[in-house]
Amino acid sequence: MKLVFATHNSNKAKEIQSLLPDDFQILTLTDINCLDEIPETAETLEGNSLLKAQFINDHFNLNCFADDTGLEIDALNGRPGVYSARYAGEEKSAEANMNLVLSELQNESNRKAQFRTVITLILNDKTYIFEGIVKGKMSTEKRGTEGFGYDPIFIPEGQEKTFAEMTLAEKNQQSHRARAFEKMIEFLKKV
Ligand code: IMP
């Protein structure tokens, strides 16, 4: 079965492909020649992942899935959330985003936060949603050089290292994205 992953990132697609039985063929947006800018205008992670998956389903009539991830900080009422990529502006700078979060939390003792990934899968015109969460807290300074985005300022629950101080394998064992994808993969193995 052909299944489109609404991303241009072939590494992400290869990773999912390697976890699925051989009868699934994962295609990227590049593979299906989708060069359109897919709207991400919803106000929730659920809404954005649905918009992306629906766009592919409507325009290409293919089974597909899309993911959307956000960092949700308690003391900021769940922000940056769906705005995580562009929290400090449209240039989508990870450094600027982290600086903004750290300054907003400067005198805040409640540092609880979570990363949340939502995947929407559209399979034979039915919609399924999978969620992966990793709880943790925001550090007071940036630490580590691995990973991307907010990794240098996020410490998963019960641990001391930030995500950016872990290897990719260590992070993948517990990450929000890995958890959401595991759920979808378990579901797909049974269809
Ligand atoms: P996306 O939905 O995967 O594109 O994620 C949106 C934004 O959330 C990214 O641009 C990052 O700022 C942030 N983000 C998502 N996943 C992670 C992660 O695993 N570590 C750190 N930041 C992340």
Side-chain angles (χ1 to χ4, degrees), residues 12 40 52 67-71 84-85 97 115 148-151 163 171 175-177:
K12 269 191 177 181
E40 288 193 48
K52 286 188 270 185
D67 67 333
D68 206 27
T69 296
L71 171 66
S84 292
N97 287 339
F115 272 117
F148 70 101
Y150 297 89
D151 280 347
F163 264 164
K171 180 184 166 189
S175 87
H176 42 295
R177 207 178 337 273

Side-chain angles (χ1 to χ4, degrees), residues 33-187:
N33 214 7
C34 172
L35 305 171
D36 310 84
E37 185 79 30
I38 304 181
E40 288 193 48
T41 48
E43 286 178 7
T44 60
L45 299 174
E46 285 78 2
N48 267 348
S49 68
L50 179 64
L51 276 183
K52 286 188 270 185
Q54 236 161 16
F55 184 94
I56 303 303
N57 196 247
D58 290 350
H59 289 75
F60 294 86
N61 199 23
L62 289 166
N63 290 322
C64 60
F65 61 90
D67 67 333
D68 206 27
T69 296
L71 171 66
E72 299 174 332
I73 302 176
D74 271 24
L76 303 180
N77 298 318
R79 281 185 286 120
V82 72
Y83 306 107
S84 292
R86 54 202 142 110
Y87 194 43
E90 285 304 322
E91 67 279 10
K92 297 187 178 173
S93 155
E95 281 303 312
N97 287 339
M98 286 190 288
N99 290 341
L100 179 56
V101 163
L102 288 178
S103 75
E104 287 186 311
L105 292 178
Q106 209 166 21
N107 295 315
E108 182 57 63
S109 57
N110 174 12
R111 308 201 66 92
K112 277 196 208 158
Q114 64 180 23
F115 272 117
R116 193 162 71 90
T117 294
V118 175
I119 302 173
T120 298
L121 168 70
I122 302 183
L123 194 65
N124 304 328
D125 294 324
K126 284 205 183 98
T127 300
Y128 305 88
I129 290 183
F130 306 90
E131 181 186 65
I133 290 177
V134 61
K135 289 185 182 293
K137 63 180 182 190
M138 304 314 296
S139 62
T140 49
E141 82 238 308
K142 296 173 204 156
R143 294 199 321 251
T145 52
E146 298 298 316
F148 70 101
Y150 297 89
D151 280 347
I153 58 170
F154 182 81
I155 304 170
E157 204 165 65
Q159 298 173 62
E160 276 164 25
K161 285 197 260 185
T162 66
F163 264 164
E165 292 177 302
M166 298 180 188
T167 62
L168 183 59
E170 269 179 289
K171 180 184 166 189
N172 280 346
Q173 271 171 17
Q174 53 184 320
S175 87
H176 42 295
R177 207 178 337 273
R179 286 177 183 169
F181 276 109
E182 267 163 30
K183 287 185 190 169
M184 184 184 75
I185 286 164
E186 283 317 303
F187 171 82

